[in-house]
Amino acid sequence: MGSPAKAPQTGKNRHFSQALRHAGAGIWAVIKNERNMRSHLVSAGVVVVVGLGLHVDLNTWCWLALAIALVWFAEFLNTVIEALVNLIVGQRYDENAKLAKDVAAGLVLLAAGLAVVIGLLVLAPYLADLI
Ligand SMILES: Nc1ncnc2c1ncn2[C@@H]1O[C@H](COP(=O)(O)OP(=O)(O)OP(=O)(O)O)[C@@H](O)[C@H]1O
C-alpha cells in the first residue's frame, strides 16, 4: 500500500521557494485560463518588437513597460475578483456578483485603453520620423 496522500496546503508558505512556486502557479493559471490574458501577452510582444524596431530610448521603454504592466495588473485583479465571486455565489445569479464582475471587466477595458493612449503618445515621435 502506498503512503497516504498529502493534504493540500491551506496555510502559510514555509519556504521562499514554496512561495515562488505558488506565485508562479498563479501567473500560469491566469495565462492558461484567461483568453484575454493571452491577447495581452501577444500585444505586449508586438509592442516590444515595435520598440526594438524603432530603437526607442530608455524613457520610452519605461512608459511602454508601465503601459504593459497596467493591463496585466488589471487582468490579474479581474481574475481574482472573478474567482472570489464564483467562490461566494457559485452559478447562482446575483446582482452584486454582476456588479463586481462588470466593474472588474471595466477596469481591464480602461487599463487597455489607457495603455493604447500611452503607447501612441510615446511612439508618435518615432513613427513621425519614419514618414
Ligand atoms: N453569478 C453571476 N451573477 C450575475 N451575473 C454574472 C454572474 N457570473 C457572471 N455574470 C455576468 O457574466 C459576465 C461574464 O462573466 P465572467 O466574468 O465570469 O466571464 P468571463 O468570460 O471570464 O469575463 P471576462 O471576459 O471579463 O474575463 C459578467 O461580467 C457578469 O455580467
Side-chain angles (χ1 to χ4, degrees):
M1 221 166 69
S3 54
K6 230 169 95 184
Q9 180 184 345
T10 54
K12 290 181 82 63
N13 292 316
R14 271 172 297 149
H15 309 287
F16 182 61
S17 62
Q18 213 174 9
L20 266 185
R21 206 170 54 246
H22 288 131
I27 293 170
W28 176 241
V30 180
I31 295 169
K32 189 163 67 98
N33 300 327
E34 299 296 325
R35 194 190 53 244
N36 288 344
M37 187 63 213
R38 294 195 289 277
S39 307
H40 300 324
L41 284 175
V42 171
S43 305
V46 170
V47 167
V48 169
V49 168
V50 169
L52 290 171
L54 294 174
H55 303 290
V56 300
D57 64 14
L58 186 61
N59 185 48
T60 304
W61 275 123
C62 289
W63 279 108
L64 294 177
L66 185 78
I68 290 169
L70 183 70
V71 178
W72 290 4
F73 183 81
E75 190 61 49
F76 273 61
L77 195 56
N78 179 44
T79 304
V80 170
I81 289 168
E82 280 176 8
L84 288 176
V85 168
N86 291 342
L87 174 70
I88 296 166
V89 304
Q91 292 301 308
R92 178 171 53 86
Y93 182 88
D94 183 280
E95 277 298 330
N96 284 316
K98 177 173 169 50
L99 178 65
K101 285 189 174 185
D102 287 355
V103 171
L107 176 69
V108 176
L109 187 63
L110 282 179
L114 189 57
V116 170
V117 171
I118 292 172
L120 288 176
L121 284 176
V122 298
L123 291 178
Y126 294 95
L127 295 171
D129 278 351
L130 291 180
I131 301 169

